[in-house]
């Protein structure tokens, strides 16, 4: 207890965990005495005890002690006491904030093992495929040692392999793969195609990156859309000849709206850019030029909506998106670069035609636009888990958002050893050129002492600029960015060696561990590869479990000898680097979020090592230009007045002003995420209804009674619509009702009342008419069932398949309609109405209309679909690869959006009934519903 008192102090929030840690430690001698077989048998013992009434909390001390011992025997790692606390926090469904180098990957094994005992599956969520595969193989040795199964979900993985991975006790994968599998499962027509189990418990690694940074980019599955490449090329040519006007600078969104409107008429340029909100708008001059260029009378007319879309996307592509910053061009393709990680986002495309506009700008082949098939935000996906937990080195600054949206609190876990890293105040220069000169001088100065240096940049472009400057100085270095990611493991492994200089984008800021003196494990693995060992055998060579396989034993001997040799070298060099002062971090620009800066700082000072960090900024940096505020500008102007242009400004007040600017950006991004969620919550309620009902049908629920009730409801609705109780029988519109019912169960042209005399019409009674129609409908349904049976088909199967396909078709159309509604709903603000509320009201009406349309189309399909076209048997789903879809952002803020470009097409369903006669949009619908044509059958008309 004395040890914990020194670390935690009296008022620490983690102090309450110390009794549990003491119990785990007390069990260690007893657990160590077990053989491998006895240790493995503990898993089944725990499961029996759970079945007997004990809880996971009851099992926690002993289970954690078992995992700790299994980790030591299988991978040679033993959990520190602070890591045990991290495991307890994760088990409780909270966020564990643990600094870099504290072993978060190992911490996850504790809570994963414990919760996997319940048999519902545990998902461990990582930020990329590399980490998912690495952690599943590395930590998988611990789980398999204890008899648990481990799976990993990777992009491009076939469905059958995904299904097996999800069936495992513990499944590793990326946030996008888990989310897209959920969406695809809810697009399946056959339950055999589903891959996921229930969403029970998830541990999210780098939780701030996934639940905060990526929360502005909802998951969207898209299918192939129309080819509009020529229009994007024309729009790009037009935009390239426009003159950029003065940038919009505002203090509030209302002022921005007013200023944008004023500048549209007064600005000297053809378009204006708002760099803070990343929006761009044509001015009056630009509109006039567009009308002449495209030969249209008024660009703002509704008929020119599409043209406006192409021009707007071309403007964004040329004015807002920079090559080697926002994207790179490789092999004739535009590839997005993640602003938070610096990595290429393979498979992702900007949505709403923005990607096509950038392709036109860069002169590469333009791919077709896509159509939204399914969508969900990360917030709403992860909130479906019964228990959610996370871990990261930087979460405290976003605790309010974690708590408000995910009901997660953040627990700061102490470091195993005290952090002695020195973080210097920022140096601010008047120009970017002066800043980079100073950075090069700092690198040269530190490099001369032998200390390793890591230089962080925010873009590929800046990393290449610094690299060129270092080459001119003759300083050897490595560059790690989206263009050179293949060498990431090797570069990071050597970045802590004496004299190493590494320039890196944010790729080196998360999920990496720079060891002073070098990484002996990497060096030993490389030595084995050079001797001809394959990766699978090398993985076995790094294990510690019992085996009698001669090849594995030989590989283990080779690995152990190589590791021991390299460990001596790296340990010696580690001590030398420590004496020199450890790793020195140089940040060349502050990021929008303080967390990203803290991640870069966290590369130095791991596990009690020394280190230092300093950020170099300039008044040309976007952060200071757009978000610094008048106070910062006035302060720097006063300081700069008496200084040489190349001299830096260094003071704590300046650093605090910069952090204040970052807080403002963080708040702006939070509002953007909240706005995305606010709108998606409307869709989420509808999604839950559709998906829950759909899943019941998919899993085999008998819906025949529901179909019969639906027939009765539609028949009675028809009678009420065409034969109102308040009118005389001769005034009933029986011909229109016959036309309507022919869409359901009547034969084409059938009208049983066509030859009735006036006297016979007068004798009709509504109740008898309704009963006669119900009898006809039931007879027709029974006849249809017999017809299917004669072909060896089941009516129950037909009902399920038809309903699923009809629901999918209408749901996809509804998603598009809701997207269009959201795009225009912001105009409601000009009428002092809340756009979110108006969106919810209109969305509810549209959802009700969709349900009514689903009901009618389902019956129509069941009575009229071709029997010959229906399959007699379902072929088993085999290894069709699920394309790796990715996220795109919501249109709510008109910000860049990323989407998946997938080859998967929507399943064809029964086509909606079309009317023969051309009907005006605002005329009564000829189907007799009483609605306007545009709100009824016209919603599906081309």
């Amino acid at each position: 207890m004395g040890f914990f008192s020194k670390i935690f102090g009296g008022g620490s929030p983690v102090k309450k965990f110390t009794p549990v840690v003491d119990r785990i430690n007390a069990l260690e001698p007893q657990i160590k005495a077990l053989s491998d077989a006895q240790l493995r048998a503990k898993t089944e013992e725990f499961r029996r005890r759970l079945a007997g009434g004990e809880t996971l909390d009851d099992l926690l001390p002993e289970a954690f002690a078992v995992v700790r011992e299994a980790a030591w025997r299988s991978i040679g790692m033993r959990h520190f006491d602070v890591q045990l606390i991290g495991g307890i926090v994760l088990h409780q469904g909270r966020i564990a904030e643990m600094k870099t180098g504290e072993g978060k990957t190992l911490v996850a094994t504790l809570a994963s093992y414990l919760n996997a005992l319940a048999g519902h599956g545990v998902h461990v969520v990582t930020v990329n495929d590399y980490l998912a595969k690495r952690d599943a193989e590395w930590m998988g040795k611990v789980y398999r040692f204890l008899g648990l199964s481990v799976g990993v979900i990777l992009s491009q993985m076939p469905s059958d392999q995904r299904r097996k991975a999800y069936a495992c006790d513990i499944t590793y994968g990326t946030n996008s793969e888990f989310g897209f599998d959920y969406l695809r499962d809810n697009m399946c027509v056959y339950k055999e195609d589903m891959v996921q189990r229930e969403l029970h418990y998830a541990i999210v690694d780098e939780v701030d990156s996934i639940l905060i940074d990526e929360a502005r980019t909802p998951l969207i599955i898209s299918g192939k859309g129309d080819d509009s490449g020529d229009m994007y090329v024309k729009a790009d040519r037009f935009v390239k000849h426009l003159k950029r006007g003065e940038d919009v600078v505002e203090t509030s969104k209302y002022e921005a709206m007013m200023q944008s409107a004023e500048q549209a008429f007064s600005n000297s340029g053809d378009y204006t850019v708002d760099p803070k909100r990343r929006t761009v708008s044509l001015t009056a001059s630009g509109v006039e030029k567009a009308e002449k260029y495209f030969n249209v009378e008024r660009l703002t007319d509704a008929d020119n909506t599409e043209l406006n879309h192409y021009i707007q996307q071309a403007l964004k592509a040329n004015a807002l998106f920079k090559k080697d910053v926002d994207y790179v061009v490789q092999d004739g393709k535009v590839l997005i670069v993640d602003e938070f990680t610096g990595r290429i986002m393979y498979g992702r495309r900007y949505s709403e035609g923005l990607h096509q506009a950038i392709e036109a700008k860069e002169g590469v082949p333009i791919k077709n636009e896509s159509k939204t098939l399914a969508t969900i935000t990360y917030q709403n996906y992860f909130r479906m888990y019964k228990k959610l937990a996370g871990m990261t080195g930087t979460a405290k600054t976003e605790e309010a958002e974690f708590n408000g949206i995910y009901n997660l609190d953040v627990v700061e876990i102490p470091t195993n050893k005290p952090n002695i890293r020195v973080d210097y105040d920022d140096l601010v220069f008047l120009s970017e050129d002066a800043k980079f000169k100073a950075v090069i001088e700092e690198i040269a100065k530190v490099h001369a002492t032998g200390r390793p240096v890591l230089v962080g940049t925010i873009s590929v472009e800046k990393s290449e600029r610094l690299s060129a400057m270092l080459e001119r100085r003759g300083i050897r270095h490595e560059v790690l960015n989206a263009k050179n990611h293949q060498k990431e493991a090797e570069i990071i492994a050597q970045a802590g060696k004496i004299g190493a200089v590494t320039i890196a984008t944010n790729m080196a800021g998360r999920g990496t561990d720079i060891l002073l003196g070098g990484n002996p494990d990497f060096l030993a693995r490389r030595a084995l590869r050079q001797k001809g060992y394959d990766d699978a055998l090398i993985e076995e060579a790094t294990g510690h479990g019992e085996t009698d396989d001669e090849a594995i034993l030989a590989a283990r001997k080779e690995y152990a000898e190589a590791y021991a040799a390299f460990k001596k070298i790296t340990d010696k060099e580690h001590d030398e680097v420590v004496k020199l002062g450890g790793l020195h971090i140089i940040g060349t620009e502050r990021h929008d979020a303080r967390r990203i800066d803290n991640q870069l700082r966290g590369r130095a000072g791991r596990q009690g090592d020394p280190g230092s960090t300093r950020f170099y900024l300039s008044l040309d940096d976007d952060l200071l230009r757009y978000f610094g505020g008048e106070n910062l500008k006035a302060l720097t102007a006063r300081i700069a007045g008496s200084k040489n242009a190349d001299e830096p400004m260094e003071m704590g007040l300046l650093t605090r002003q910069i952090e204040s600017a970052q807080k403002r950006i963080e708040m702006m991004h939070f509002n953007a995420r909240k706005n995305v969620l606010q709108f998606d919550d409307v869709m989420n309620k509808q999604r839950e209804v559709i998906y829950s009902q759909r899943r019941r049908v998919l899993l085999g629920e008998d819906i025949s009674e529901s179909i019969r009730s639906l027939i009765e409801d539609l028949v009675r609705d028809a009678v009420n619509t065409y034969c109102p109780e308040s009118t005389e029988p001769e005034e009933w519109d029986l011909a229109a009702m016959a036309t309507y019912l022919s869409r359901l169960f009547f034969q084409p042209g059938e009208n049983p009342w066509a030859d009735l005399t006036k006297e016979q019409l007068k004798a009709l009674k509504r109740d008898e008419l309704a009963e006669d129609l119900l009898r006809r409908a039931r007879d027709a349904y029974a006849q249809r069932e017999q017809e299917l049976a004669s072909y060896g088909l089941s009516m129950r199967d037909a009902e399920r398949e038809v309903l699923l396909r009809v629901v999918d078709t209408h749901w996809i159309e509804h998603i598009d309609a809701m997207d269009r509604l959201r795009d225009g709903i912001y105009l409601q603000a000009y009428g002092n109405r809340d756009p979110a509320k108006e969106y919810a009201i209109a969305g509810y009406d549209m959802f009700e209309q969709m349900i009514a349309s689903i009901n009618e189309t389902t019956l129509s399909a069941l009575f009229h679909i071709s029997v010959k076209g229906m399959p007699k048997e379902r072929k088993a789903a085999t290894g069709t690869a699920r394309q790796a879809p990715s996220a795109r952002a919501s249109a709510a803020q008109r910000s860049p959006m990323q989407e998946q470009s997938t080859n998967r097409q929507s399943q064809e369903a029964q086509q909606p009934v079309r009317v023969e006669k051309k009907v005006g949009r605002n005329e009564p619908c000829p189907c007799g519903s009483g609605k306007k044509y545009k709100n009824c059958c016209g919603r599906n008309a081309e």
Side-chain angles (χ1 to χ4, degrees):
M1 286 296 290
F3 169 73
F4 280 101
S5 298
K6 288 179 183 177
I7 291 184
F8 301 145
S12 170
V14 298
K15 186 178 180 182
K16 61 184 177 182
F17 299 127
T18 57
V20 182
V21 173
D22 290 340
R23 289 172 60 193
I24 298 169
N25 288 333
L27 289 167
E28 190 165 17
Q30 173 187 332
I31 300 299
K32 272 186 174 296
L34 300 176
S35 67
D36 285 358
Q38 289 172 324
L39 194 62
R40 188 173 295 111
K42 279 289 182 181
T43 298
E44 286 307 315
E45 178 192 324
F46 291 147
R47 284 174 170 162
R48 287 195 300 272
R49 287 162 61 181
L50 274 177
E54 290 190 57
T55 66
L56 293 178
D57 290 341
D58 295 332
L59 298 177
L60 187 149
E62 192 172 353
F64 276 27
V66 165
V67 175
R68 175 192 259 179
E69 182 60 24
W72 176 249
R73 296 188 191 185
S74 59
I75 59 176
M77 301 177 75
R78 178 184 177 278
H79 298 79
F80 300 130
D81 287 356
V82 290
Q83 290 175 313
L84 297 178
I85 294 174
I88 297 170
V89 170
L90 294 180
H91 167 65
Q92 292 178 342
R94 306 163 83 179
I95 293 173
E97 181 177 275
M98 303 182 71
K99 301 304 179 188
T100 300
E102 293 298 303
K104 293 187 290 292
T105 306
L106 186 62
V107 168
T109 59
L110 298 163
S112 296
Y113 172 79
L114 177 62
N115 285 269
L117 295 173
H120 303 295
V122 173
H123 293 171
V124 183
V125 187
T126 65
V127 293
N128 57 52
D129 275 358
Y130 165 74
L131 290 176
K133 188 172 184 294
R134 183 201 73 177
D135 293 353
E137 292 172 349
W138 186 17
M139 298 298 128
K141 296 171 186 175
V142 180
Y143 304 127
R144 285 187 281 268
F145 185 90
L146 292 171
L148 295 185
S149 56
V150 184
V152 60
I153 304 294
L154 301 173
S155 59
Q156 305 298 323
M157 181 177 279
S159 296
D160 54 349
Q161 292 183 24
R162 287 174 182 268
R163 199 172 297 109
K164 291 177 183 176
Y166 279 116
C168 291
D169 296 304
I170 297 163
T171 307
Y172 283 82
T174 64
N175 47 313
S176 59
E177 290 300 319
F178 283 124
F180 281 118
D181 280 336
Y182 166 78
L183 289 176
R184 283 185 292 246
D185 274 0
N186 284 286
M187 296 170 64
C188 291
V189 179
Y190 303 101
K191 64 181 180 181
E192 296 88 352
D193 290 336
M194 297 175 69
V195 297
Q196 270 190 354
R197 290 199 284 169
E198 61 182 315
L199 303 180
H200 181 67
Y201 176 53
I203 297 174
V204 183
D205 192 11
E206 306 296 358
V207 66
D208 56 322
S209 173
I210 292 172
L211 298 190
I212 300 292
D213 295 339
E214 298 217 23
R216 284 183 290 162
T217 57
L219 298 158
I220 291 182
I221 288 183
S222 302
K224 189 175 181 181
D226 299 328
D227 181 5
S228 308
D230 289 345
M231 281 305 301
Y232 284 109
V233 173
K234 291 176 183 176
D236 181 72
R237 288 173 182 164
F238 165 68
V239 164
K240 279 185 165 68
H241 290 90
L242 296 181
K243 177 185 175 184
R244 178 168 176 162
E246 297 174 8
D247 287 352
V248 176
V249 180
E250 81 293 332
T251 56
S252 72
K253 63 180 179 180
Y254 303 106
E255 289 180 18
M257 291 165 59
M258 294 300 294
Q259 190 181 38
S260 295
E262 291 171 6
Q263 287 192 349
F265 296 97
S266 65
N267 200 288
S268 58
D270 298 320
Y271 64 92
T272 61
V273 177
D274 181 347
K276 288 177 69 172
R277 303 183 188 281
R278 290 181 68 80
T279 58
V280 60
S281 304
L282 284 176
T283 64
S285 168
V287 170
E288 184 178 346
K289 289 183 178 180
E291 290 169 347
K292 289 181 181 179
Y293 188 91
F294 292 99
N295 194 26
V296 296
E297 187 173 346
R298 286 174 58 86
L299 186 64
T300 54
D301 284 350
D303 291 342
N304 295 320
T305 301
E306 260 192 276
L307 175 58
N308 256 312
H309 166 76
Y310 295 126
I311 294 173
Q312 185 69 17
Q313 298 308 82
L315 279 171
K316 286 182 181 178
N318 282 274
L320 297 177
F321 289 81
K322 297 180 182 178
K323 183 179 177 180
D324 290 340
V325 177
D326 301 295
Y327 63 90
V328 296
V329 178
Q330 291 182 359
D331 301 324
K333 297 178 182 178
V334 172
L335 304 174
I336 299 173
V337 176
D338 189 331
E339 64 173 309
F340 297 105
T341 67
R343 301 176 189 277
I344 290 178
M345 304 165 83
Y346 291 102
R348 298 193 180 191
R349 292 176 62 81
Y350 294 116
S351 72
E352 297 185 336
L354 178 58
H355 210 96
Q356 286 79 2
I358 296 174
E359 288 169 335
K361 168 189 172 185
E362 296 296 340
V364 302
I366 300 174
K367 292 187 178 180
N368 288 359
E369 290 190 64
S370 53
K371 180 182 179 67
T372 300
L373 306 181
T375 176
I376 192 172
T377 59
Y378 279 119
Q379 292 104 318
N380 278 321
Y381 172 72
F382 281 105
R383 291 196 299 191
M384 287 190 291
Y385 280 90
K386 293 178 182 177
K387 185 163 74 170
L388 183 65
M391 51 189 184
T392 181
T394 48
K396 204 65 179 177
T397 57
E398 312 293 346
E399 184 170 18
E401 184 168 353
F402 280 124
N403 204 290
I405 292 179
Y406 303 100
N407 196 29
L408 292 169
D409 63 337
V410 179
V411 179
E412 294 181 85
I413 309 298
T415 56
N416 186 51
K417 295 179 180 179
N419 185 352
I420 59 173
R421 186 187 69 230
V422 179
D423 298 323
Y424 295 107
D425 284 338
D426 300 347
L427 293 181
V428 184
F429 294 80
L430 295 180
S431 69
E432 187 173 70
D433 287 342
K435 176 183 72 174
F436 280 123
K437 285 179 186 176
V439 168
I440 296 299
E441 292 301 325
E442 176 78 359
I443 294 171
K445 178 182 174 183
V446 177
H447 176 63
T449 69
R451 286 183 68 187
V453 181
L454 174 66
V455 186
T457 66
I458 66 168
S459 69
V460 174
E461 177 188 48
K462 298 293 174 63
S463 67
E464 291 179 341
R465 177 179 175 182
L466 275 173
S467 176
M469 294 175 74
L470 283 177
E471 284 180 2
R472 288 194 291 269
R473 288 289 293 265
I475 298 175
R476 292 185 60 184
H477 61 281
E478 295 285 350
V479 179
L480 176 58
N481 59 34
K483 292 183 177 180
N484 192 30
H485 63 92
Q486 296 89 348
K487 295 177 64 179
E488 179 178 357
E490 181 177 352
I491 291 172
I492 292 299
Q494 307 288 41
K497 293 181 67 63
I498 290 177
V501 176
T502 308
I503 299 173
T505 58
N506 293 338
M507 289 177 69
R510 193 186 282 277
T512 58
D513 202 1
I514 297 175
L515 304 180
L516 301 187
N519 189 329
D521 175 67
F522 172 84
L523 297 173
R525 287 169 182 260
R526 187 173 65 180
L528 263 64
R529 287 193 189 93
Q530 291 170 348
K531 290 186 177 183
Y533 286 93
D534 61 33
D535 288 341
L537 193 53
I538 291 173
E539 286 302 321
E540 292 289 350
T542 60
H544 296 268
E546 296 174 351
T547 181
D548 53 5
D549 188 300
E550 292 184 4
I552 294 175
L553 290 173
R556 284 186 179 177
K557 182 180 178 183
E558 291 263 18
Y559 173 81
E561 290 173 353
Y563 184 87
F566 286 119
K567 189 75 165 59
K568 287 180 181 179
I569 297 171
T570 56
D571 281 353
K572 181 180 179 181
E573 191 164 332
H574 172 275
D575 294 341
E576 292 178 22
V577 175
V578 168
K579 290 177 183 177
L580 292 170
L583 179 67
H584 182 54
I585 303 284
I586 297 176
T588 59
E589 202 162 329
R590 286 285 200 123
H591 198 276
D592 287 356
R594 290 168 291 167
R595 290 178 294 105
I596 311 299
D597 296 338
N598 291 338
Q599 287 157 15
L600 178 60
R601 282 196 174 105
R603 300 309 104 192
R606 64 175 297 280
Q607 286 294 318
D609 285 336
S612 57
T613 70
R614 189 190 292 272
F615 278 81
Y616 285 70
L617 315 178
S618 81
L619 298 184
D620 293 335
D621 295 348
D622 289 348
L623 173 71
L624 303 188
R625 281 198 298 144
Y626 301 136
F627 296 94
E630 295 303 321
N631 289 339
L632 180 59
K633 291 174 185 175
L635 176 63
T636 53
R638 287 199 304 273
I639 299 172
S642 59
K643 286 186 175 290
N644 183 289
D646 289 339
E647 289 184 17
M649 296 171 281
E650 178 185 12
M651 55 188 298
L653 178 60
L654 201 55
T655 300
R656 289 193 293 274
Q657 287 288 338
I658 293 167
E659 288 184 352
S660 176
Q662 288 179 303
K663 289 178 182 178
R664 287 197 293 276
I665 302 175
E666 288 168 3
M667 182 55 65
M668 188 179 75
H669 288 168
F670 169 65
N671 288 332
R673 290 188 293 269
K674 191 166 69 171
N675 195 54
V676 170
L677 183 61
Q678 191 175 20
F679 279 85
D680 191 63
D681 278 343
V682 176
M683 278 295 291
N684 197 52
K685 292 183 177 68
Q686 300 176 5
R687 187 188 301 113
E688 286 174 353
V689 172
I690 292 293
Y691 284 1
S692 63
Q693 297 294 328
R694 193 186 186 286
R695 183 160 293 215
R696 287 166 53 192
V697 175
L698 186 66
L699 295 179
E701 181 176 300
D702 188 340
I703 60 171
S704 57
E705 283 303 315
S706 298
I707 295 294
R708 292 187 181 94
S709 296
L710 180 57
I711 291 173
E712 184 172 337
D713 290 342
L714 290 181
V715 167
R716 294 196 184 281
D717 286 346
V719 172
N720 290 333
T721 300
Y722 299 102
C723 308
E725 194 171 3
S726 58
T727 60
E728 295 298 322
E730 57 267 29
E731 296 177 13
W732 293 345
D733 196 347
L734 297 173
M737 183 164 70
T739 300
Y740 170 73
L741 292 177
S742 68
R743 296 171 55 186
L744 302 181
F745 58 90
F746 275 9
Q747 293 301 312
E750 181 182 354
N751 184 351
W753 313 287
D755 299 326
L756 294 183
T757 64
K758 289 185 178 180
E759 288 72 20
Q760 289 173 320
L761 283 172
K762 286 183 180 181
L764 288 177
K765 296 181 180 179
R766 289 180 79 257
D767 292 343
E768 292 177 358
L769 179 64
E771 288 303 318
D772 178 60
L773 289 175
L774 284 173
R775 178 186 56 76
R776 289 171 180 267
R778 291 173 186 136
D779 289 347
Y781 202 67
Q783 183 179 345
R784 184 63 166 165
E785 187 162 3
Q786 292 174 2
E787 185 181 2
L788 291 178
S790 68
Y791 280 87
L793 300 171
S794 164
M795 187 62 167
R796 303 292 82 79
D797 290 341
E799 289 167 342
R800 280 194 292 271
E801 184 162 341
V802 167
L803 179 59
L804 290 173
R805 293 186 185 278
V806 169
V807 166
D808 287 348
T809 300
H810 284 75
W811 177 241
I812 290 168
E813 291 173 354
H814 180 70
I815 290 172
D816 278 346
M818 292 292 284
D819 279 346
R820 292 193 294 272
L821 173 66
R822 185 182 59 208
D823 288 347
I825 204 70
Y826 293 98
L827 296 176
Q828 296 288 340
Y830 290 105
N832 290 323
R833 290 189 290 271
D834 182 352
K837 288 184 179 178
E838 296 299 318
Y839 178 77
I841 293 169
Y844 176 79
D845 291 340
M846 291 166 61
F847 185 72
E848 290 292 301
Q849 291 174 14
M850 178 193 69
I851 295 298
S853 185
I854 286 174
N855 291 340
E856 291 186 8
T857 309
T858 299
L859 284 190
S860 177
L862 281 170
F863 279 107
H864 296 104
I865 195 169
S866 170
V867 175
K868 294 180 181 179
M870 297 182 69
K872 288 191 176 183
E873 60 183 39
R874 160 70 173 144
K875 292 182 180 179
T878 54
T880 303
R882 289 190 163 200
Q883 296 295 327
S886 64
R888 77 175 183 187
S890 163
Q893 291 295 316
R894 312 303 304 164
S895 57
M897 311 188 176
Q898 299 150 357
E899 70 179 349
Q900 177 226 1
S901 178
T902 175
N903 293 327
R904 178 168 180 154
Q905 300 293 310
S906 57
Q907 303 275 6
E908 287 189 1
Q910 173 74 13
Q911 291 299 306
V913 176
R914 304 191 187 282
V915 292
E916 296 294 331
K917 178 185 172 185
K918 179 68 175 176
V919 184
R921 285 172 51 78
N922 291 308
E923 293 180 19
C925 188
C927 75
S929 66
K931 301 174 183 176
K932 292 181 180 180
Y933 175 63
K934 67 181 181 182
N935 295 326
C936 190
C937 298
R939 290 186 302 110
N940 298 320
E942 293 179 345

